[in-house]
Amino acid sequence: MIALEKRPQPSRLWRAATPLLAVALTMLAGGVMFAALGADPVEAIRVIFWDPLFDPDFAAYSRPQLLVKAGPLILIAIGLAIGFRSGVWNIGAEGQYIMGAICGAGAALALYPAETRAILPLAVLAGALGGWAWGMIPALLKVRFGTNEILVSLMLVYVAESILASVSSGLLQNPEGMGFPGSRNLAQWDAAANRELIAGTGMHWGVLTAFVAVIAAYVLMSRHILGFQLRLSGEAPRAARFAGVVPGRVVVICFAISGALAGMAGFFEVAGPAGQISIDFGSFYGFTAIIVAFLGRLHPVGILLAGLLMALTYIGGELAQLMLGLPAAAIQLFQGMLLFFLLATDVFVNYRLRLGRREAA
Amino acid sequence: MDLTAIQPAILIASLMVSSTPILLAALGEMVVERAGVLNLGVEGMMITGAVAGFAVAINSGSPALGFLGAAAAGAALSLAFAVLTQLLLSNHVATGLALTLAGLGLSALVGKPYEGMKAPSLPKLDLGPLAEIPFFGRVLFSHDVMVYLSLALVAGVWAFLRYTRAGLILRAVGESAEAAHALGYHVIRVRILAILFGGALAGLGGAYISLVRVPQWTEGMTAGAGWIALAIVVFASWRAGWVLVGAYLFGGVTVLQLNLQAAGAAVPVALLSASPYLVTILVLVIISARGLQGAPAALGRSFHASG
């Protein structure tokens, strides 16, 4: 008989080890999946995890992509993780990301074709405000009426997608686009473009902001009284209330931070890698960031590493599509499995296995 | 715009068809939540059911087998959730999200070869002269068997929870797992069975979308129906009869907005297509403002018998 026995203290060793174990298990299960799809599993794993970084033919292109893809994931996940640690479940980051992109691009395009350096920071601010405002809807409904924030934030993703479809063939449509849906290309307009800062690295303003957010989140959560209050409300809501932490304030702060960060990520994406507002702009980053946040143990440094790893699976997945003809959905499933295995192995942080018969209670 | 093009009888009949997927999924989730488990993976199980049902129906030529396959696939996916949350004690919210993300990926992968195909159609149940009755015949007696099955399931679940011993045990587990455990009931076993039932119903609901409502397979076709089902459970205050009311209400909004779009109403299309989600939010606000009633006390809490 195998039984689980609660540890007196959560194991620090396991807390660090489970993400690695989960990655290893996902590679195994993924290998089986790739074999079932008719690809050589070892080769598939190599193409996904090794070739984007070290293959002489592809690395020059795909290495910079690592930061391009990791930037938005890290930026969004940092905000989500602050909420998750505080017991506030913002699942609608994808919607905040889309609204940030729309508001940022809208603010910039309102000034088209001006050429001043103020446009980019202005648009970033507008993007952050857009994501913030979209996040405030579930937060305020939760505080005022006690509405479930998971469901409301998620419903708002679909609303944001409707708005995106509407503006890309309406309000923000490129007047010189010959009637095609989609806005002007921001990446080709110097004043608003989110350009690569160091050539050949993929480093753009969004990636830089993500790194700053990692440091800021670390300081906030580990060194600041507000971070302590947030963590307290996540781990012991009643104790937090006795300590004078107002629950509504926690909800609003968490949604404000995560909404604004997701909104900024949306604008950086639309002004750089994506280029324009179009109907298929929504890229699932808002959902994948949830995996990144958990894989990074809800800790800023962990999220940095997890974001890079998840970006690698994106790029490797594209490469595997190209080289081995693996379907794009296989990578999505691969990422989903990663979260599954992580949650499954997490049991060992708080419990240990005990073999042998359970004694009578 | 031409509102006369919208006929009430057809509107109500199509309302019942478009509500059935959400009704099935919400009913299953209601049972799961009454057992004290919060499974946020409904969307993932629905879309998996949609693709599994479609694939089985295409390959076997039988929609009935398709629905069976969908139920099995939904239950199989929910088993993963059950193992994680009940045996490995993982967080319900995070695991449910993982289930949805994995389900979306899995369904896209499995469904690739089936895109653009047409499903064998589910015949309407022949009710003879009943279907000839003006208005009511069209509204009530001109549906396929799944619509009636979903209504029978509502009655069945209601009676099960209210009148049977097993239903009482399930509710006890959801209200206080510790008390139920102390009385000698197998909390984990009851919860796993409830999760499997919820998964099977979500799978059926998904298959109803891909086999009857659309009837085609396209990636991500459930489009949030699973999340709306979760909202309906809250709306219904965890009661079977109100799940029916909630599902038909949302089905009504969906059908009405589609009809308004088709009739060329002077309302922006974006607003119309977002309306089911906006109505969901609105209803959640109204329900929550009144104060949540009937939520199982142990909802979303893991149970570990510490001996």
Side-chain angles (χ1 to χ4, degrees):
Chain A
M1 175 82 195
I2 303 170
L4 288 172
E5 188 183 65
K6 197 161 174 55
R7 293 178 195 275
Q9 300 253 298
S11 157
R12 302 188 71 152
L13 177 69
W14 273 104
R15 201 189 287 276
T18 49
L20 301 175
L21 185 60
V23 171
L25 286 172
T26 311
M27 284 189 184
L28 277 179
V32 173
M33 174 179 77
F34 295 136
L37 289 167
D40 176 9
V42 178
E43 195 190 357
I45 296 293
R46 199 202 69 220
V47 168
I48 294 172
F49 287 98
W50 184 262
D51 283 1
L53 297 179
F54 303 110
D55 186 275
D57 295 331
F58 301 109
Y61 164 77
S62 48
R63 250 185 236 161
Q65 284 293 311
L66 195 64
L67 285 183
V68 171
K69 295 259 195 285
L73 286 174
I74 294 171
L75 200 51
I76 301 171
I78 286 285
L80 292 182
I82 293 175
F84 294 167
R85 285 185 83 170
S86 323
V88 177
W89 295 92
N90 176 6
I91 306 302
E94 180 80 5
Q96 292 138 23
Y97 169 84
I98 291 173
M99 291 312 283
I102 292 176
C103 292
L109 287 172
L111 300 168
Y112 187 86
E115 288 287 348
T116 80
R117 302 181 70 176
I119 291 181
L120 184 65
L122 208 68
V124 171
L125 192 67
L129 277 175
W132 170 82
W134 210 241
M136 276 303 105
I137 302 173
L140 294 179
L141 291 180
K142 165 102 181 169
V143 173
R144 180 73 185 77
F145 301 109
T147 316
N148 183 315
E149 82 274 23
I150 298 176
L151 292 172
V152 174
S153 63
L154 208 112
M155 289 291 130
L156 286 171
V157 174
Y158 294 95
V159 178
E161 281 173 355
S162 301
I163 297 178
L164 177 70
S166 158
V167 295
S168 60
S169 58
L171 194 63
L172 295 182
Q173 193 179 14
N174 184 358
E176 291 150 29
M178 325 233 255
F180 285 107
S183 72
R184 284 184 201 277
N185 196 316
L186 290 163
Q188 291 166 7
W189 170 27
D190 270 347
N194 170 25
R195 245 172 288 98
E196 204 175 26
L197 296 173
I198 307 166
T201 57
M203 182 85 167
H204 60 57
W205 285 108
V207 180
L208 197 65
T209 312
F211 290 155
V212 174
V214 168
I215 297 165
Y218 178 78
V219 172
L220 173 70
M221 292 312 271
S222 310
R223 294 278 177 272
H224 196 277
I225 181 76
L226 179 63
F228 173 74
Q229 290 175 339
L230 291 175
R231 280 186 291 143
L232 187 62
S233 352
E235 279 162 34
R238 269 171 63 82
R241 267 161 83 172
F242 286 128
V245 183
V246 185
R249 224 178 114 233
V250 171
V251 174
V252 170
I253 289 173
C254 290
F255 265 95
I257 295 174
S258 53
L261 290 183
M264 271 200 269
F267 174 73
F268 285 127
E269 192 68 14
V270 77
Q276 57 166 186
I277 291 283
S278 66
I279 192 157
D280 51 4
F281 170 74
S283 50
F284 224 68
Y285 279 145
F287 292 111
T288 312
I290 297 171
I291 304 180
V292 172
F294 279 109
L295 192 63
R297 309 260 63 150
L298 306 182
H299 188 281
V301 179
I303 288 170
L304 181 71
L305 298 174
L308 289 169
L309 179 74
M310 201 58 80
L312 185 62
T313 65
Y314 265 114
I315 304 159
E318 280 170 20
L319 205 58
Q321 250 175 290
L322 191 76
M323 303 275 293
L324 309 171
L326 285 175
I331 278 303
Q332 208 186 334
L333 180 58
F334 195 78
Q335 294 171 341
M337 282 199 294
L338 189 53
L339 182 52
F340 253 116
F341 282 117
L342 181 73
L343 293 167
T345 49
D346 254 3
V347 69
F348 298 116
V349 175
N350 287 312
Y351 294 84
R352 65 172 149 238
L353 281 182
R354 209 183 44 187
L355 299 170
R357 284 183 61 81
R358 229 158 70 191
E359 69 239 51
Chain B
M1 94 181 162
D2 185 15
L3 282 180
T4 53
I6 300 174
Q7 290 177 13
I10 294 178
L11 193 70
I12 298 174
S14 56
L15 174 161
M16 291 174 74
V17 169
S18 77
S19 309
T20 300
I22 307 179
L23 175 59
L24 286 166
L27 194 64
E29 177 67 15
M30 197 269 287
V31 172
V32 176
E33 292 191 12
R34 284 301 276 270
V37 179
L38 180 65
N39 185 353
L40 291 181
V42 185
E43 178 82 4
M45 300 186 296
M46 274 187 99
I47 192 100
T48 305
V51 75
F54 194 81
V56 172
I58 289 267
N59 289 324
S60 68
S62 153
L65 280 180
F67 278 107
L68 273 181
L77 199 60
S78 72
L79 185 63
F81 176 86
V83 168
L84 255 67
T85 56
Q86 302 308 308
L87 301 180
L88 300 176
L89 307 163
S90 66
N91 179 307
H92 289 201
V93 174
T95 313
L97 286 170
L99 198 66
T100 291
L101 294 174
L104 288 171
L106 179 69
S107 64
L109 185 63
V110 175
K112 207 76 199 156
Y114 296 97
E115 273 175 3
M117 286 193 192
K118 177 127 181 42
S121 65
L122 190 64
K124 301 239 180 285
L125 215 55
D126 186 15
L127 292 169
L130 282 177
E132 307 290 315
I133 306 169
F135 191 77
F136 290 105
R138 180 76 189 86
V139 170
L140 293 177
F141 303 112
S142 63
H143 293 291
D144 54 69
V145 65
M146 288 305 292
V147 172
Y148 301 115
L149 179 69
S150 69
L151 293 172
L153 276 169
V154 172
V157 164
W158 174 76
F160 169 80
L161 288 175
R162 196 178 168 95
Y163 294 116
T164 67
R165 188 180 165 78
L168 184 64
I169 294 171
L170 183 129
R171 285 188 286 144
V173 165
E175 291 299 333
S176 171
E178 285 74 17
H181 176 72
L183 287 171
Y185 297 119
H186 295 275
V187 173
I188 301 297
R189 191 184 301 164
V190 170
R191 287 188 165 172
I192 289 178
L193 288 175
I195 293 168
L196 289 177
F197 177 75
L201 282 202
L204 281 181
Y208 195 81
I209 300 182
S210 66
L211 287 176
V212 181
R213 235 184 87 187
V214 174
Q216 261 192 3
W217 163 254
T218 46
E219 205 182 309
M221 70 185 307
T222 46
W227 296 104
I228 293 184
L230 279 160
I232 286 174
V233 177
V234 179
F235 165 80
S237 308
W238 292 268
R239 283 171 300 177
W242 282 94
V243 168
L244 179 70
V245 174
Y248 276 22
L249 189 76
F250 286 93
V253 173
T254 312
V255 170
L256 197 64
Q257 66 96 358
L258 286 174
N259 273 287
L260 285 172
Q261 279 194 33
V267 186
V269 174
L271 188 61
L272 285 177
S273 53
S275 61
Y277 311 109
L278 290 172
V279 169
T280 306
I281 294 174
L282 190 71
V283 168
L284 280 175
V285 168
I286 295 169
I287 294 294
S288 324
R290 231 186 38 197
L292 283 185
Q293 282 148 10
L299 185 57
R301 289 207 216 124
S302 295
F303 174 73
H304 178 63
S306 45

